[in-house]
Amino acid sequence: MSGNHPTHFTLAAVEQNSGNVVGYVHCSLLTDKAGHSELHIAHLKVGREHQGRGLGAGLIDAAEQWAKHGRGWKFTKMSLTVLKTNLKAKRCYQKSRFGVVRESEASFPAEEHRKPGHVIPVWQRMERMSA
């Protein structure tokens, strides 16, 4: 399933027996000032009971194919951002050929960062070249 917005879409994975949505991916086409485009995965979610079965990788591949063939988008790389501590998600992304290109500390919520002993979350940007 996908909406009709010119720069983003959402695909859902639906369980055949129940018809329930068990995962989804939401992507955007980002273009920089030089005209280079990338497919950015803004959200990827797989229900806990369906994790570890390759559904995340399947959604990533389906998003790339839909963007290229369903939307006709041209891009050379794919990107996403993940919390450094989200090891399950990072393993999925690494299996899908994503690699970390940079890290940054989270800047929100600001009031949390002022509490003594608070560990500031770190985000990792991951990228892969498009097939």
Side-chain angles (χ1 to χ4, degrees):
M1 86 180 61
S2 177
N4 194 25
H5 193 277
T7 61
H8 59 260
F9 64 85
T10 301
L11 299 177
V14 178
E15 189 174 50
Q16 286 184 330
N17 295 337
S18 68
N20 292 332
V21 173
V22 297
Y24 70 91
V25 61
H26 180 79
C27 298
S28 299
L29 183 66
L30 305 178
T31 305
D32 65 18
K33 292 178 184 176
H36 301 109
S37 295
E38 69 183 64
L39 183 65
H40 181 73
I41 297 173
H43 303 282
L44 176 64
K45 176 69 176 160
V46 174
R48 285 193 198 279
E49 61 278 5
H50 299 281
Q51 292 177 2
R53 300 180 189 169
L55 187 55
L59 283 165
I60 291 168
D61 291 341
E64 181 177 21
Q65 293 306 310
W66 176 250
K68 286 183 172 183
H69 304 295
R71 289 296 186 97
W73 292 351
K74 307 227 181 294
F75 52 93
T76 56
K77 70 179 173 183
M78 297 175 66
S79 65
L80 57 88
T81 304
V82 62
L83 280 170
K84 186 175 183 174
T85 56
N86 190 345
L87 301 179
K88 272 182 147 179
K90 285 175 47 178
R91 276 193 298 275
C92 171
Y93 302 145
Q94 288 165 339
K95 286 180 184 176
S96 292
R97 303 180 322 275
F98 282 85
V100 175
V101 295
R102 72 175 171 267
E103 293 185 350
S104 59
E105 290 184 347
S107 58
F108 61 89
E111 62 277 0
E112 288 293 317
H113 296 300
R114 292 191 285 271
K115 292 182 179 178
H118 176 74
V119 176
I120 297 173
V122 175
W123 291 100
Q124 291 182 319
R125 178 176 169 91
M126 300 181 79
E127 296 179 349
R128 83 173 195 193
M129 298 310 291
S130 177

